[in-house]
């Protein structure tokens, strides 16, 4: 099928079924795949030197210099209290803009950008990939595997009572 | 920006300035009702506003300012007395003007209703005029009769040469002329050719705006020509019926001219031309200078053994320093911009509360970085509101205490070293430190035991705690202490400090100290745990290298004795949670210490290494990390890495 046709087709389905689709940036943390709303993502960079900031939560890796701007970097591994086991070469920082602030998310690897029907997203189970439910927006199915959709606002600004 | 919006912006900026000026002047007038200077200044501001509004085509604003101008004109001509009522009315009018200008700023429309007010104004005008004992005058002549206002004298005197003569000229035009305004224009134009036209009635602007020209044209002209020649030249213009000309004695003017040094007049003469610049452009310029500095520092760090390289570096150093200095200067604005709003605010608040308060302002021309000024307004408002609401007592209460019935709030700003100090002092009821401490205990902010060892200042400081103020009842004006946490957090964000001192029955004083500028500063670079940190130089009094035996112990605390004073030592590594609880620094042969001052207190911060001194561009850590303890910001160092700035004031 030609791209144009595809588009038309997509448009048609969208109109007919009023399916709402959301675009996600898919990244790896360990063996699981995670997604965040692409509207929040500004850019993806290779990590350079991250300056640690004392007296912050342990999941704050530090700050980086992004073209003259100081940006905090949150290590999602640590935020989700997971064991790190990745190969550092492929690590990336996804710069997101949330609550008018730029924040970097340190992840293993950025894989792809996908569309997902909103109705294919289910409420999060108690635990997904070992992460507490409160940090998750939902779980979607992508071909044959599961995509865990992260609620960034809660992840970054939520109360860390544990 | 297109032309229209450019003019609109200018209009808005200038309007707000005039509104501010009107408010200030009327407050002054209330205290000195007989001062003609002030009345004239008010009148001119209102007149300028009207002219601007008319030019921009804002009808309601024009109408409103016109009415107010008329009212002021009556005050000027002694037909109306300055009473509290009148002042209230004028303030109400200025608020309407402000509301209209704000409407215009928002959506370009004048949404605020003004008819009721205009009706009210018409009423007082009529009532008071009939009461006022004004001399009856010939109709028509009064309005057009030119008189040189005192502020014009100075202009005349400054422009006059030895051989010049000052003429007062009256030109009568044919009344049935079809082209009255054209003829009037020709008269003015001719007069301008003949000499220096100081003033005319109607003015050139009025004529150009094709206002109806009736009656004679009056002019004040400075010229070297003979009176007779001027008369003839003017008579040659078509439709001119008659020209009256008389000379004014110079000495007469000099006698009455206002003194140049008087502050009221300071705006008018010998000011360099200025331009208005969008603040965002200045911010951008500042950022660019910052980038330049960072790169200069990087160049500096290169190890190039060439004479010419050293030369260039030195030149570059000089130019960037100067550039930085100039940009800083541009960004500095006097604190009067916010101070001058307060007398009006306090007046309104105190009247609502039935209190009498006199606001004194000192050091209003102290300059601060624009970005600091903008942030500062809110905290000051909170402090002042508290002073009015809870500080100053009612007149009867004050008399009972043996105080003057009128309370006083003193707003003071001054520079001290590289800091700006702002003091807000009232002579009101004061705050009982023990009661504050008790409330803090009730709110679980502190335990009863902890309070025992606290001094007055520490107890008073609880009013800055967010947990302290939010639970309080909010009255109309302000809850007791409400907003004090805002004060603290804003001041902290600006890298400043706020202190409170209070004596029950005597009053309360807040002292805010702020850095002169936020953007660029000199810093001492140090190393802790292999990371570089910057300490703003204005906090550093000296650096020392100690040997372990220099360190003494006082009640379990490591100290050093420096010039007879005992200075406690604090390990940066411990404060920054790098784990130095076992005081490993004692194992070193040389211990590097930075002595910092915070208020009256001095402490020594133990660091791993002293690096160098350099200029740093201060950048905020951002909202996400804003509350980080002991870190006040970050900067980018030579190699592009980030170095954190130590918040030494809070470490101390």
């Amino acid at each position: 099928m030609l791209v144009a046709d595809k588009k038309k087709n997509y448009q048609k389905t969208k109109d007919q079924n009023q399916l709402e689709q959301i675009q996600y940036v898919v990244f790896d943390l360990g063996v699981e795949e995670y997604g965040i709303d692409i509207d929040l993502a500004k850019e993806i960079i290779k990590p350079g030197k991250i300056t640690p900031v004392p007296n912050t939560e342990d999941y704050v890796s530090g700050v980086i210099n992004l073209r003259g701007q100081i940006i905090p970097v949150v290590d999602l591994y640590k935020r989700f209290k997971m064991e790190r086991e990745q190969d550092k070469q492929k690590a990336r920082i996804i710069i997101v803009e949330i609550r008018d602030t730029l924040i970097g998310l340190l992840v293993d690897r950025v894989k792809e950008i996908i569309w997902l029907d909103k109705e294919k997203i289910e409420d999060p189970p108690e635990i997904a990939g070992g992460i507490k439910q409160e940090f998750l927006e939902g779980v979607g199915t992508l071909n044959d595997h599961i995509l865990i959709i992260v609620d960034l606002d809660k992840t970054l600004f939520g109360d860390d009572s544990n | 920006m297109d032309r229209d919006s450019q003019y609109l912006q200018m209009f808005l900026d200038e309007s707000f300035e005039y509104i501010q000026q009107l408010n200030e002047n009327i407050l002054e007038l209330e205290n000195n009702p007989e001062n003609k200077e002030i009345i004239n200044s008010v009148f001119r501001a209102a007149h300028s506003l009207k002219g601007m509004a008319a030019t921009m085509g804002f009808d309601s604003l024009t109408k409103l300012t016109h009415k107010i101008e008329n009212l002021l004109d009556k005050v000027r001509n002694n037909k109306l007395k300055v009473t509290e009522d009148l002042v209230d009315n004028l303030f109400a009018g200025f608020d309407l003007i402000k509301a209209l200008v704000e409407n215009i700023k928002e959506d370009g429309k004048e949404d605020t209703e003004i008819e009721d007010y205009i009706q009210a104004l018409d009423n007082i005008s009529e009532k008071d005029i009939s009461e006022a004992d004004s001399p009856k005058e010939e109709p028509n002549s009064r309005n057009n009769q030119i008189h040189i206002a005192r502020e014009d004298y100075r202009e005349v005197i400054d422009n006059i040469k030895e051989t010049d003569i000052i003429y007062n000229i009256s030109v009568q035009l044919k009344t049935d002329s079809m082209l009255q305004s054209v003829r009037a224009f020709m008269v003015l134009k001719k007069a301008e050719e003949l000499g220096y036209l100081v003033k005319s009635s109607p003015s050139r602007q009025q004529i150009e705006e094709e206002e109806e020209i009736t009656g004679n044209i009056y002019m004040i002209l400075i010229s070297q020509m003979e009176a007779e020649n001027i008369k003839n030249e003017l008579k040659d213009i078509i439709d001119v019926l008659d020209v009256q000309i008389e000379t004014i004695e110079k000495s007469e003017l000099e006698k009455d001219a206002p003194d140049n040094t008087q502050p009221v007049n300071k705006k008018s003469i010998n000011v360099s031309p200025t331009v208005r610049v969008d603040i965002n452009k200045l911010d951008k310029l500042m950022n660019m200078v910052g980038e330049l500095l960072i790169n200069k520092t990087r160049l500096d760090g290169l190890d190039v053994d060439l004479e010419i390289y050293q030369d260039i570096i030195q030149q570059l150093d000089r130019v960037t320093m100067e550039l930085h200095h100039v940009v800083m200067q541009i960004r500095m604005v006097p604190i009067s911009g916010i101070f001058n709003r307060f007398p009006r605010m306090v007046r309104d608040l105190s009247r609502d509360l039935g209190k009498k308060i006199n606001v004194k302002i000192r050091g209003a021309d102290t300059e601060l970085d624009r970005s600091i000024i903008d942030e500062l307004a809110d905290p000051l408002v909170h402090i002042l509101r508290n002073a009015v609401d809870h500080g100053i007592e009612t007149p009867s209460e004050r008399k009972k205490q043996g105080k003057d019935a009128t309370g006083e709030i003193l707003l003071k700003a001054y520079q001290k070293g590289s800091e700006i100090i702002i003091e807000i002092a009232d002579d009101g009821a004061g705050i009982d430190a023990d009661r504050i401490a008790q409330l803090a205990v009730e709110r679980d902010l502190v335990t009863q035991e902890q309070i025992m060892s606290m001094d007055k200042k520490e107890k008073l400081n609880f009013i800055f705690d967010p947990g302290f103020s939010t639970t309080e009842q909010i009255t109309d004006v302000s809850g007791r202490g409400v907003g004090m946490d805002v004060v603290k957090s804003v001041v902290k964000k600006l890298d400043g400090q706020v202190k409170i001192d209070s004596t029950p029955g005597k009053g309360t004083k807040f002292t805010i100290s702020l850095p002169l500028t936020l953007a660029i500063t000199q810093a001492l670079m140090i190393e802790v745990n292999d990371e570089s940190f910057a300490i703003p130089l204005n906090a550093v009094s000296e650096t020392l290298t100690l040997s372990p035996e220099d360190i003494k112990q006082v009640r379990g605390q490591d100290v050093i004795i420096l010039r007879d004073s005992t200075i406690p030592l604090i390990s940066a590594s411990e404060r920054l949670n790098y784990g130095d609880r076992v005081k490993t620094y004692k194992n070193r042969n040389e211990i590097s210490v930075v002595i910092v001052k915070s208020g009256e207190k001095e402490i020594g911060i133990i660091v791993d290494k002293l690096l160098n001194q350099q200029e740093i561009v201060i950048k905020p850590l951002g909202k996400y990390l804003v509350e980080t303890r002991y870190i006040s910001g970050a900067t980018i160092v030579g190699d592009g890495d980030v170095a954190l700035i130590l918040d030494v004031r809070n470490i101390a």
Side-chain angles (χ1 to χ4, degrees):
Chain A
M1 210 181 335
L2 290 167
V3 178
D5 287 345
K6 253 189 188 169
K7 249 189 191 163
K8 218 196 279 168
N9 230 353
Y10 159 65
Q11 206 58 43
K12 214 163 98 191
T13 15
K14 193 179 172 189
D15 291 346
Q16 277 175 353
N17 307 339
Q18 296 209 315
L19 270 185
E20 206 186 323
Q21 286 205 317
I22 303 174
Q23 218 175 357
Y24 291 98
V25 179
V26 179
F27 57 88
D28 279 357
L29 286 180
V31 289
E32 308 280 354
E33 285 188 356
Y34 296 81
I36 56 164
D37 191 336
I38 198 166
D39 287 342
L40 298 171
K42 294 290 146 198
E43 65 183 295
I44 295 160
I45 57 167
K46 284 188 184 174
K49 152 111 176 150
I50 301 176
T51 304
V53 182
N55 299 325
T56 50
E57 301 286 350
D58 67 333
Y59 54 80
V60 175
S61 303
V63 288
I64 53 165
N65 165 17
L66 182 69
R67 295 185 297 276
Q69 227 182 326
I70 307 288
I71 303 200
V73 176
V74 169
D75 185 340
L76 282 190
Y77 258 105
K78 287 195 179 150
R79 180 57 174 147
F80 295 150
K81 301 188 194 309
M82 293 162 52
E83 290 293 319
R84 176 165 257 119
E85 50 182 78
Q86 94 280 32
D87 142 30
K88 277 205 164 178
Q89 290 304 308
K90 286 179 180 151
R92 291 289 182 275
I93 293 173
I94 306 174
I95 307 287
V96 295
E97 186 175 353
I98 185 162
R99 297 199 191 180
D100 291 326
T101 322
L102 290 177
I103 298 174
L105 306 175
L106 186 63
V107 300
D108 271 2
R109 181 159 78 108
V110 177
K111 284 184 102 169
E112 58 186 333
I113 288 161
I114 52 130
W115 286 99
L116 208 61
D117 291 343
K118 202 174 183 181
E119 68 173 21
K120 280 193 186 159
I121 299 169
E122 292 161 23
D123 286 343
E126 285 283 306
I127 295 231
I131 303 177
K132 282 196 299 181
Q133 192 181 11
E134 58 174 289
F135 295 146
L136 304 181
E137 201 167 279
V139 172
T141 29
L142 186 67
N143 302 328
D144 53 343
H145 52 273
I146 285 175
L147 180 71
I148 302 165
I149 293 160
V150 178
D151 184 333
L152 266 191
D153 194 78
K154 289 207 182 94
T155 301
L156 295 174
F157 294 95
D159 184 31
D160 188 39
S161 40
N162 289 358
Chain B
M1 217 188 301
D2 62 66
R3 272 174 82 85
D4 274 1
S5 64
Q6 205 175 340
Y7 285 132
L8 185 63
Q9 191 53 50
M10 266 166 63
F11 165 77
L12 291 173
D13 287 347
E14 287 183 15
S15 299
F16 284 122
E17 268 172 29
Y18 281 124
I19 293 166
Q20 182 59 39
Q21 195 193 334
L22 284 171
N23 275 312
E24 285 166 28
N25 286 338
I26 291 293
L27 270 179
E28 245 178 278
L29 189 63
E30 195 179 22
N31 297 327
N32 308 298
E34 300 302 323
N35 191 331
K36 289 283 174 225
E37 276 312 319
I38 304 173
I39 299 172
N40 281 330
S41 169
V42 177
F43 180 80
R44 258 177 290 144
H47 182 78
S48 308
L49 253 179
K50 184 185 80 171
M52 282 161 40
T55 316
M56 298 294 291
F58 295 120
D59 297 335
S60 299
L61 190 57
T62 313
K63 191 170 171 188
L64 179 61
T65 43
H66 180 69
K67 287 283 177 191
I68 292 176
E69 188 192 347
N70 280 350
L71 196 64
L72 291 168
D73 193 41
K74 283 169 188 142
V75 176
R76 200 164 73 153
N77 296 329
N78 294 322
K79 291 187 185 173
L80 256 181
K81 280 215 159 62
V82 179
T83 60
E84 206 169 297
D85 252 7
L86 179 76
V87 171
D88 283 341
N89 265 307
L90 285 172
F91 275 140
F94 298 158
D95 287 343
L96 277 179
I97 294 177
K98 194 171 174 195
L100 281 174
V101 176
E102 257 153 19
N103 289 158
I104 293 166
K105 188 180 177 184
E106 259 160 43
D107 56 5
K109 294 194 199 82
E110 304 169 282
D111 301 323
T112 305
E113 187 50 58
I114 59 165
E115 287 307 324
D116 289 352
Y117 176 73
I118 286 181
Q119 194 58 47
L121 271 198
D122 285 345
N123 289 343
I124 63 159
S125 310
E126 274 157 32
K127 190 181 75 197
D128 287 316
I129 286 167
S130 52
E131 285 169 7
D133 48 337
S134 66
K136 287 276 169 269
E137 283 171 75
E138 262 179 65
N140 231 348
S141 76
R142 175 81 207 175
N143 282 342
N144 281 338
Q145 178 68 53
I146 193 158
H147 70 284
I148 323 179
R150 277 166 59 95
E151 69 273 11
D152 294 324
Y153 293 171
R154 188 41 67 187
E155 192 186 345
V156 173
I157 290 166
D158 285 352
N159 282 293
I160 202 163
K161 288 192 214 79
E162 271 306 300
T163 50
D164 280 344
I165 306 165
I166 311 162
Y167 293 107
N168 193 347
I169 305 168
S170 151
V171 179
Q172 192 189 352
L173 288 176
K174 224 180 189 169
T175 43
D176 55 353
S177 162
M178 294 294 287
L179 297 163
Q180 281 269 352
S181 57
V182 176
R183 300 294 174 242
F185 188 75
M186 287 167 73
V187 170
L188 294 196
K189 200 151 178 286
K190 178 56 84 183
E192 279 166 5
E193 286 167 20
L194 299 175
Y196 180 85
L197 182 63
V198 178
K199 197 176 183 181
S200 68
S201 168
S203 70
R204 191 175 178 138
Q205 194 187 352
Q206 283 168 328
I207 295 168
E208 277 172 9
E209 281 164 11
E210 291 178 39
E211 282 185 22
E212 207 180 325
I213 310 295
T214 51
N216 294 358
I217 301 168
Y218 299 91
M219 297 181 289
I220 306 281
L221 185 74
I222 303 175
S223 174
Q224 301 187 358
M225 289 172 69
E226 298 280 326
E228 201 53 35
N229 293 343
I230 294 176
K231 194 170 176 175
N232 289 338
E233 289 273 0
L234 290 172
K235 267 195 168 170
D236 281 348
I237 300 167
I238 309 168
D239 287 347
V240 169
L241 289 180
D242 190 27
V243 176
Q244 303 279 344
I245 187 160
E246 53 186 78
T247 52
I248 302 173
E249 285 305 316
K250 273 182 234 173
S251 53
E252 223 171 88
L253 288 178
E254 262 155 11
K255 191 176 61 200
D256 282 348
D259 189 348
N260 235 354
T261 55
Q262 267 180 11
V264 187
N265 225 22
K266 70 178 170 197
K267 270 190 192 165
S268 54
I269 300 143
N270 283 341
V271 185
S272 325
T274 55
V275 283
R276 276 171 199 280
V277 181
D278 183 349
I279 186 75
N280 289 324
K281 286 187 189 160
L282 276 187
D283 284 345
K284 201 170 168 191
L285 183 61
M286 194 66 185
N287 279 335
M288 307 289 284
V289 172
E291 296 292 309
L292 190 63
L293 273 170
I294 289 167
N295 284 305
K296 190 211 78 186
T297 313
R298 289 179 70 178
L299 272 180
D300 246 348
L302 289 183
D303 192 18
V304 180
D305 192 18
L306 272 178
E307 203 172 309
I308 186 151
Y309 175 80
Q310 296 304 329
D311 240 33
I312 294 172
I313 287 288
Q314 268 183 19
Q315 290 291 328
L316 192 62
D317 199 57
R318 189 182 55 78
V319 174
T320 43
M321 286 285 276
E322 210 158 295
L323 185 60
H324 169 205
H325 185 72
V326 172
V327 174
M328 296 305 310
Q329 287 296 312
I330 297 174
R331 292 171 55 92
M332 297 297 237
V333 287
I335 201 164
S336 57
I338 44 176
F339 268 17
N340 291 350
R341 283 185 233 163
F342 295 140
R344 167 85 201 270
M345 187 190 93
V346 169
R347 176 189 186 273
D348 290 356
L349 284 177
S350 56
R351 276 175 59 111
D352 288 348
L353 295 165
K355 294 178 181 179
K356 283 188 174 163
I357 301 174
N358 198 2
V359 180
K360 275 193 184 166
I361 293 180
R362 297 277 175 277
D365 46 10
T366 307
E367 289 189 327
L368 260 175
D369 191 280
R370 168 73 192 236
S371 54
I372 301 179
I373 294 254
D374 287 347
E375 298 274 344
L376 210 54
D378 263 5
L380 291 182
V381 165
H382 280 302
I383 293 175
L384 279 169
R385 282 178 168 246
N386 269 290
V388 176
D389 197 14
H390 306 297
I392 307 281
E393 312 90 332
T394 56
S396 56
E397 178 66 31
R398 289 180 67 88
K399 274 184 194 155
K400 241 184 267 169
Q401 310 252 349
K403 292 179 179 178
D404 192 335
T406 305
E408 188 177 284
I409 296 177
L410 176 67
L411 268 168
K412 191 166 146 191
Y414 57 94
Q415 187 174 347
K416 188 178 158 196
S418 55
E419 287 190 326
I420 294 290
I421 313 290
I422 298 167
E423 293 176 4
I424 307 101
D426 68 63
D427 65 349
I431 303 170
D432 182 354
D434 289 323
R435 196 172 136 59
I436 296 291
Q438 229 36 62
L439 286 169
V441 173
E442 281 167 31
R443 273 156 214 164
D444 293 332
L445 301 174
V446 67
T447 64
Q448 197 72 47
E449 292 77 56
Q450 282 170 303
I451 280 183
M452 305 297 272
S453 61
M454 284 185 167
D455 61 19
K456 187 173 99 179
K457 279 187 184 169
E458 283 174 298
K459 287 175 183 168
L460 285 173
N461 270 330
F462 280 116
I463 72 160
F464 294 120
D465 195 299
F468 185 84
S469 47
T470 47
T471 45
E472 270 290 345
Q473 278 281 307
I474 294 168
T475 70
D476 260 2
V477 181
S478 61
R480 179 165 282 266
V482 165
M484 283 301 140
D485 57 322
V486 177
V487 174
K488 173 108 182 183
S489 67
V490 172
V491 172
K492 196 194 161 196
K493 202 175 88 192
L494 297 173
D495 197 25
Q497 284 190 105
V498 56
K499 282 186 290 190
I500 176 175
D501 193 15
S502 186
T503 311
K506 297 266 185 214
T508 306
K509 180 161 114 179
F510 287 90
T511 308
I512 297 175
S513 49
L514 294 164
L516 264 179
T517 177
L518 285 182
I520 298 180
T521 188
Q522 286 284 336
L524 174 71
M525 303 302 293
I526 54 126
E527 199 177 282
V528 180
N529 208 37
D530 294 328
E531 295 287 342
S532 305
F533 291 87
I535 300 177
L537 217 53
N538 58 25
V540 176
S541 35
E542 64 187 300
T543 59
L544 302 169
T545 306
L546 306 174
S547 53
E549 50 270 26
D550 293 330
I551 298 177
K552 310 273 182 285
Q553 288 247 323
V554 174
R555 274 180 248 125
Q557 163 76 55
D558 284 353
V559 300
I560 48 162
I561 313 291
L562 189 65
R563 288 184 290 273
D564 293 337
S565 60
T566 309
I567 297 175
L569 292 176
I570 287 168
S571 153
S573 177
E574 186 187 324
R575 281 286 201 263
L576 298 174
N577 271 323
Y578 288 132
D580 191 24
R581 308 218 178 268
V582 286
K583 316 273 190 228
T584 49
Y585 58 82
K586 285 187 175 167
N587 303 329
R588 295 179 216 153
N589 292 329
E590 290 189 336
I591 302 166
S592 301
V593 177
V594 183
I595 308 289
V596 299
K597 50 182 185 295
S598 167
E600 294 98 63
K601 221 163 42 168
E602 270 196 321
I603 61 151
I605 298 179
I606 295 171
V607 302
D608 293 356
K609 235 190 254 176
L610 298 169
L611 299 174
N612 60 327
Q613 183 184 322
Q614 74 177 61
E615 222 154 24
I616 59 164
V617 180
I618 301 177
K619 306 208 174 218
L621 270 189
K623 268 189 262 176
Y624 195 61
L625 300 176
V626 76
E627 286 300 323
T628 306
R629 287 186 87 189
Y630 308 135
I631 305 291
S632 61
T635 186
I636 294 162
V637 286
D639 48 9
D641 282 354
V642 180
L644 301 172
I645 300 169
L646 282 187
D647 182 6
V648 285
R649 291 211 175 89
N650 281 313
I651 289 182

